[in-house]
Amino acid sequence: MPEGDTIFRTARALGRALIGRPITTFRSTYALLTRFNDDTPLAGQTVDRVESRGKWLLIHFSGGDTLATHMLMSGSWHIYRHGERWQQPRTNMRIVLENAEFVTVGFRVPVAKMLRPHELERALRIPPTIIDVLSDDFDANEVSGRLLKCRNEEIGDVLLHQETIAGVGNVFKSEICFVTATNPFCKVASLDLQRVTALIEAARRLVKANVLEDSGDAIVTYGGRKRRTTHESDPSASLWVYGRAGEPCRRCGERIRRRIQGPDARVTFWCQRCQPMPDGSNVDG
Ligand SMILES: [Zn+2]
């Protein structure tokens, strides 16, 4: 699943291609979007803003309406010049937005809705900006309050709740737990406030570090570069624990563990020595 930083970069790239340029063509294979466009043509409008909200990508049009897409596992947005060859088959195309310079294509976007202004916040489970790790409005106290309400859940699961803290995906979940020396399987109730604060701070820092501007004014397409949470310049050394089962911990040399966690059966990586359970027990992986 694309993580918050991937959606953020997609939004930034789409923004560069779309904002301020009159739309010349809108097409979709989704009947509801097509009907919306029949009633309220997007051609002739401009794009005012493109933003990520957790896992949602929002394209705001000058007419006041918003196209909200959710990538889930399969979706992606690509940006092409006119006449450039698409990287995916036409049959994967769900949405096309064109202007004089660019063709932006939503491939296999599984969820797409056009929203009137009053529908935006309530119609979708779009997280408010105050709990989005990439938003300037981010409110750590609000997030800490939401997180502490999940006291009987494991922290590794809670970090993935988009209604608790938005924008953290499965890769960062493991990395955030590692850098704060938190065992991903411990219950929220066993964490003190200082630990909760550190987790939230790490979530912001790690996810934000992955959206640092590194592409100048270039139009970059979906697919992005490698995530990085360590300070190593070698790309293969860019993550602390994620994807490293059986390899030595970069801090202590202990074997990195891997285990399926939670109701959604997401994979979790951790170091037993650097991330002990508060009561000293061990979780096997
Ligand atoms: Zn370790």
Side-chain angles (χ1 to χ4, degrees), residues 141-171:
N141 286 330
E142 171 69 27
V143 171
S144 150
R146 289 182 182 223
L147 205 142
L148 289 168
K149 281 189 192 139
C150 312
R151 37 185 299 111
N152 292 318
E153 294 177 71
E154 294 172 356
I155 184 63
D157 281 333
V158 174
L159 286 172
L160 294 177
H161 291 178
Q162 296 301 300
E163 70 281 5
T164 301
I165 179 166
V168 175
N170 207 42
V171 176

Side-chain angles (χ1 to χ4, degrees), residues 247-265:
E247 294 175 43
C249 172
R250 300 191 197 285
R251 279 209 175 125
C252 75
E254 175 82 21
R255 172 173 70 86
I256 299 296
R257 322 268 160 153
R258 172 191 194 275
R259 196 181 184 199
I260 301 300
Q261 181 175 19
D264 294 331

Side-chain angles (χ1 to χ4, degrees), residues 178 241 248-256 270-275:
F178 181 85
V241 288
C249 172
R250 300 191 197 285
R251 279 209 175 125
C252 75
E254 175 82 21
R255 172 173 70 86
I256 299 296
W270 80 105
C271 170
Q272 219 161 62
R273 194 182 296 170
C274 293
Q275 299 165 266

Side-chain angles (χ1 to χ4, degrees), residues 2-3 12-13 37 63 77 81 92 103 107 125 136-137 145 159 174 193 210 219 230 247 260 267 269 281:
E3 303 216 16
R12 187 166 61 195
N37 186 54
W77 278 93
R81 301 267 174 191
N92 287 353
V103 180
F107 290 107
R125 291 185 309 157
D136 292 336
D137 302 332
L159 286 172
S174 291
L193 189 59
N210 276 271
I219 303 281
T230 66
E247 294 175 43
I260 301 300
V267 62
F269 298 87
S281 67

